[in-house]
Amino acid sequence: MIVLQTRVIPVLLLKNRGLYKGVKFKDYKYIGDPINTLKLFNDKEVDEIVIFDIEASRLNKEIDFGYLKEIVTEAFMPVAYGGGIKSVNDARKLFSLGIEKVILNTNAVTDFNLIKDLINAFGSQSIVFSLDIKKTFLGIKVFIKSGTEKTKYNPMEMALKMQSLGVGEIILNDIDRDGTMEGYNLKLIGEIAGVLSIPVIASGGAGKLEDFKQAKEHGAHAMAAGALFVYHGPHRAVLISYPSYNDLRKYLGD
């Protein structure tokens, strides 16, 4: 198997044990069964995957550890999980299931001490922050609770804050581009990646392989995508796909 230096990561969105995909964090449509989808990604030799429970923080739901165990048991690749992580104990349970990284958004923003505690317990390499951003009348702001609640923070100050707290990576997730397949927010990727010393994962808007190349050229260390890997054609028929490593290597220069 070809191993690429630049990671290209499928993102799966969980809701009530189903797999969903939306546009701009809204209008979610059922895609299929997460475990069957994961098996397809196994066959395509995907080398990392991200799973978000899109309701856990917004609805203050408990993490579905039992179902996550079923999912991780089927995964042949490293799994990162985000959604509803409120404590060191939550993270410890997730790691015990075989999850390799935990991703925080809401509870990281509302409680900086939680990030400190997680890093003290598990190290920076396993703690990821999802920087969910969206345009407002007051400029681009950081959002929490699956994009439903605006904060006072702008993306740069939050990115720098999370780096100073010690997170290992930041997922830069542009809500306005999510699911549109119209390309990443290259300007913001360049600005954020240009000042951080930790890896930035571009997310939100990938629609073609050229988008991965452009994100890398603007400083992204990895690229995440959802719609590109679950939809096919102008009518968005559901078809799980992943580019060949030869094609990825051609575009990424790895």
Side-chain angles (χ1 to χ4, degrees):
M1 184 176 115
I2 299 169
V3 178
L4 299 176
Q5 295 176 351
T6 307
R7 294 169 290 154
V8 176
I9 308 166
V11 177
L12 303 181
L13 305 180
L14 289 181
K15 177 182 172 185
N16 296 325
R17 297 195 172 190
L19 176 61
Y20 285 75
K21 188 71 194 87
V23 178
K24 301 182 180 181
F25 282 31
K26 298 183 290 186
D27 302 325
Y28 289 103
K29 295 180 180 178
Y30 180 74
I31 297 298
D33 176 72
I35 292 178
N36 287 337
T37 301
L38 192 64
K39 289 178 179 178
L40 291 170
F41 280 126
N42 281 337
D43 293 340
K44 298 177 186 303
E45 298 185 327
V46 171
D47 55 12
E48 185 174 345
I49 203 155
V50 164
I51 297 172
F52 286 116
D53 185 322
I54 57 176
E55 290 191 325
S57 291
R58 183 173 63 85
L59 301 180
N60 199 29
K61 291 169 61 176
E62 294 299 313
I63 298 170
D64 192 343
F65 293 105
Y67 191 55
L68 286 174
K69 183 177 181 179
E70 292 181 42
I71 291 174
V72 174
T73 300
E74 294 291 342
F76 294 169
M77 75 289 282
V79 175
Y81 169 80
I85 300 164
K86 303 183 184 73
S87 66
V88 169
N89 194 45
D90 283 345
R92 184 173 287 112
K93 286 183 182 178
L94 291 167
F95 291 134
S96 73
L97 299 179
I99 285 168
E100 296 212 357
K101 297 176 185 177
V102 294
I103 306 169
L104 286 93
N105 167 253
T106 303
N107 293 319
V109 174
T110 58
D111 182 8
F112 293 150
N113 286 325
L114 175 58
I115 288 290
K116 292 180 183 177
D117 292 342
L118 288 169
I119 290 163
N120 287 335
F122 307 111
S124 294
Q125 75 287 342
S126 57
I127 311 300
V128 182
F129 177 65
S130 183
L131 180 58
D132 297 351
I133 60 99
K134 184 179 178 181
K135 288 180 183 176
T136 74
F137 290 118
L138 299 175
I140 299 176
K141 295 294 182 182
V142 176
F143 277 68
I144 58 174
K145 296 186 178 180
S146 291
T148 61
E149 185 174 311
K150 181 179 69 175
T151 74
K152 64 182 179 180
Y153 301 104
N154 68 54
M156 186 65 76
E157 67 179 321
M158 183 55 66
L160 289 169
K161 177 65 175 179
M162 287 297 158
Q163 176 174 267
S164 73
L165 291 172
V167 301
E169 295 181 315
I170 286 180
I171 299 175
L172 180 56
N173 203 353
D174 189 333
I175 296 171
D176 291 317
R177 291 172 181 263
D178 171 69
T180 64
M181 302 178 73
E182 294 174 353
Y184 292 115
N185 187 334
L186 299 175
K187 182 176 183 291
L188 192 59
I189 290 168
E191 290 173 355
I192 299 289
V195 300
L196 296 187
S197 58
I198 58 174
V200 173
I201 302 171
S203 184
K208 56 187 182 302
L209 295 186
E210 179 68 23
D211 294 330
F212 297 149
K213 177 183 178 182
Q214 291 180 353
K216 182 180 179 181
E217 290 172 347
H218 281 74
H221 294 75
M223 286 70 69
L228 178 60
F229 299 140
V230 299
Y231 288 137
H232 176 72
H235 301 295
R236 292 197 169 207
V238 176
L239 177 67
I240 304 303
S241 65
Y242 190 79
S244 73
Y245 279 87
N246 284 330
D247 284 344
L248 285 174
R249 185 168 59 178
K250 180 177 69 174
Y251 276 90
L252 297 175
D254 285 2

